[in-house]
Amino acid sequence: GDKGFEVIHNLKEVCSTMRPDFKVQCEHGIGHGIIGVLGYDAQGVVEALDTCDRYIPESDPVNGCKGGIFMENVQRLMHDGTMHPRAFDEASRWEPCTSLTGANLGGCAFWQPMWWVSTIAIPDDAEAFARKLGAWCAEAPGGAPSQIRCFAGIGNVIHVIIGLSTER
């Protein structure tokens, strides 16, 4: 944050030296940092996405720089390394996605289930809960492309819903 966004050029160069799967994760980390600096409100999200477009225009909208923005907006890890998800309000369950379009909308839709799962107490009937999330995905703004991304996002967090540990 104290070096300004021009440092992203250098960070992107470092990322570009990595094998492809690490490169996208490296760019993802840049996205976390960008929104951590700009803030988590709607304006911060838009400015962070614009910053990714300016410095890493080819970045993957789900896993790359923009994915880092959406994940950080959900988890809010940059303050102290522990998760502080934004407060959940069912009426605004699609914010900030409703103000986005195209690939940004799809990337946002992918990360929404992580927010829902991290803020809603999962009931004993995990199957009913998963169905509820599925119904929400079916309502995703932007139609089928966003709905598909949202369902993939449920797959990303299904282990939490059904109570499986991610540890070996």
Side-chain angles (χ1 to χ4, degrees):
D2 62 341
K3 296 194 184 300
F5 289 129
E6 290 302 313
V7 75
I8 296 173
H9 287 297
N10 298 343
L11 296 173
K12 180 183 173 187
E13 286 303 312
V14 170
C15 293
S16 71
T17 66
M18 299 177 179
R19 62 181 220 220
D21 53 332
F22 289 168
K23 175 183 180 282
V24 75
Q25 290 305 309
C26 181
E27 292 172 355
H28 181 94
I30 294 170
H32 277 269
I34 291 170
I35 194 167
V37 169
L38 291 172
Y40 299 104
D41 61 3
Q43 181 179 345
V45 171
V46 170
E47 289 179 17
L49 293 170
D50 289 345
T51 302
C52 279
D53 282 338
R54 187 174 359 166
Y55 293 99
I56 313 173
E58 71 285 352
S59 184
D60 181 281
V62 170
N63 298 309
C65 182
K66 292 180 179 184
I69 289 167
F70 295 126
M71 183 181 187
E72 179 63 26
N73 188 51
V74 166
Q75 293 188 326
R76 301 183 180 192
L77 297 163
M78 293 301 296
H79 294 292
D80 62 7
T82 58
M83 191 166 68
H84 302 283
R86 61 187 164 105
F88 179 77
D89 173 19
E90 189 170 340
S92 61
R93 66 183 171 268
W94 280 107
E95 296 302 325
C97 303
T98 55
S99 62
L100 304 174
T101 59
N104 288 341
L105 177 55
C108 185
F110 177 87
W111 292 102
Q112 291 302 95
M114 179 178 281
W115 174 44
W116 302 336
V117 166
S118 64
T119 55
I120 301 170
I122 299 173
D124 290 335
D125 188 351
E127 185 177 330
F129 182 67
R131 277 194 301 272
K132 180 177 188 168
L133 299 187
W136 288 353
C137 283
E139 303 167 354
S146 299
Q147 293 164 349
I148 291 166
R149 292 285 193 180
C150 183
F151 283 112
I154 290 175
N156 189 48
V157 295
I158 195 71
H159 66 281
V160 175
I161 296 169
I162 62 175
L164 291 177
S165 172
T166 58
E167 297 180 18
R168 293 180 182 204

